[in-house]
Amino acid sequence: MPTFGQRLRDLRKAKGLSQRALGDMAGVNFTYISKIENEKLDFAQFPSEQLIRSMAAALEADVDELLLLAQKIPEPIKRRVIERPDAFRKFASLDDETINKLLEDLEDG
Amino acid sequence: MPTFGQRLRDLRKAKGLSQRALGDMAGVNFTYISKIENEKLDFAQFPSEQLIRSMAAALEADVDELLLLAQKIPEPIKRRVIERPDAFRKFASLDDETINKLLEDLEDG
DNA sequence: ATCCTGGTTGCTGTTGGAGTTCAACACTAT
DNA sequence: ATAGTGTTGAACTCCAACAGCAACCAGGAT
């Protein structure tokens, strides 16, 4: 799994955009993009959820993937956790192996 | 399901504490407790995660229950979601019926 | 050699809004 | 009347999330 900064840089280059171009599209200064990509942000470890959404839109990338890399829970997942806390507390307590089995069951099921 | 404010008030009264007493224990002004209980917070819909933890400790209550009522994802669940985004994106997309079946499978399985 | 274009980073500055307190008031009950 | 409790609008503090300059480096084109 790449870091948020690495992934952002890859997505940007794949689109052939400069930091300045992406900055303009997302509405932030290009030096801030640089700091994000190099993980040199002063206090916050990651940019705001709003900015992540703007950047994902500009890059035509998967918002939720970027949110997860930035340690933020995407809205649809969050909603479901709040709705079914019983289930998700259980799921969260499972080890990788058991989770994998569940996923397989869902494939065929 | 009660609101966060209602539940907090119930827990506090069950302990026979005044707002001032709880406020002192949790390290905040009692007027803030009042606003939380009556949901009169201007912008923030809920208090910070830190304060919720302090109050839960003072009330000897279940932290995760209060966190969920305050629409915040408890840390252990959040960690697992970040570790296995593939699985939890899938789980979150399931309807109640399918989730129930999964839980049953886990009971016997 | 000089000039773009693109990127990095330290530094200082700005600001919206979350979080909290203050002041004043109201209601009981004793 | 006063002690304890709760409510509420206004005001305050504080900092995360940016802005943005300045100086510097690397590589490529002219």
Side-chain angles (χ1 to χ4, degrees):
Chain A
M1 221 181 15
T3 68
F4 180 79
Q6 283 167 357
R7 184 75 183 121
L8 183 67
R9 170 161 289 166
D10 289 347
L11 289 168
R12 178 175 62 81
K13 297 219 157 168
K15 279 265 160 189
L17 294 174
S18 68
Q19 291 178 341
R20 295 166 216 254
L22 176 57
D24 287 349
M25 294 186 210
V28 292
N29 193 277
F30 76 97
T31 62
Y32 195 53
I33 302 284
S34 174
K35 286 164 191 172
I36 292 170
E37 289 184 352
N38 295 290
E39 276 134 33
K40 291 285 158 98
L41 292 185
D42 285 345
F43 293 99
Q45 196 173 341
F46 298 107
S48 70
E49 182 160 347
Q50 181 52 50
L51 178 53
I52 293 177
R53 292 185 184 282
S54 298
M55 292 190 298
L59 296 168
E60 297 178 283
D62 182 358
V63 185
D64 290 354
E65 182 205 352
L66 285 177
L67 285 175
L68 284 164
L69 285 176
Q71 326 259 76
K72 297 179 195 290
I73 309 291
E75 197 32 54
I77 297 182
K78 182 175 171 183
R79 223 188 22 251
R80 210 75 185 98
V81 172
I82 306 276
E83 283 169 0
R84 295 299 305 269
D86 58 323
F88 281 88
R89 284 172 89 159
K90 182 76 182 176
F91 293 151
S93 73
L94 303 175
D95 57 31
D96 279 334
E97 199 183 348
T98 313
I99 287 183
N100 290 339
K101 268 182 205 152
L102 278 187
L103 290 177
E104 281 174 34
D105 290 355
L106 286 170
E107 288 297 320
D108 349 301
Chain B
M1 220 180 14
T3 67
F4 180 79
Q6 284 165 356
R7 185 75 183 119
L8 182 67
R9 171 161 288 167
D10 289 346
L11 288 167
R12 178 175 63 81
K13 296 216 157 168
K15 278 266 159 190
L17 294 174
S18 69
Q19 291 178 341
R20 292 166 215 256
L22 176 58
D24 286 349
M25 293 185 209
V28 291
N29 193 279
F30 75 97
T31 63
Y32 194 49
I33 302 285
S34 173
K35 285 172 190 178
I36 293 170
E37 287 185 352
N38 294 289
E39 274 133 34
K40 290 284 155 109
L41 294 184
D42 284 347
F43 292 99
Q45 199 173 341
F46 299 107
S48 69
E49 182 160 346
Q50 181 52 49
L51 178 53
I52 292 178
R53 291 185 184 281
S54 298
M55 293 190 298
L59 296 169
E60 296 177 284
D62 182 0
V63 184
D64 289 355
E65 183 205 351
L66 287 177
L67 284 175
L68 284 166
L69 285 175
Q71 324 261 73
K72 297 183 193 288
I73 310 290
E75 194 40 47
I77 296 183
K78 181 175 172 184
R79 226 191 14 255
R80 209 76 185 100
V81 171
I82 305 278
E83 282 169 0
R84 294 298 306 269
D86 57 323
F88 281 87
R89 286 176 83 162
K90 182 77 181 174
F91 293 152
S93 74
L94 303 175
D95 57 29
D96 279 335
E97 197 183 349
T98 313
I99 286 184
N100 290 338
K101 268 183 208 153
L102 278 187
L103 290 178
E104 282 173 35
D105 289 356
L106 287 170
E107 288 297 319
D108 349 302

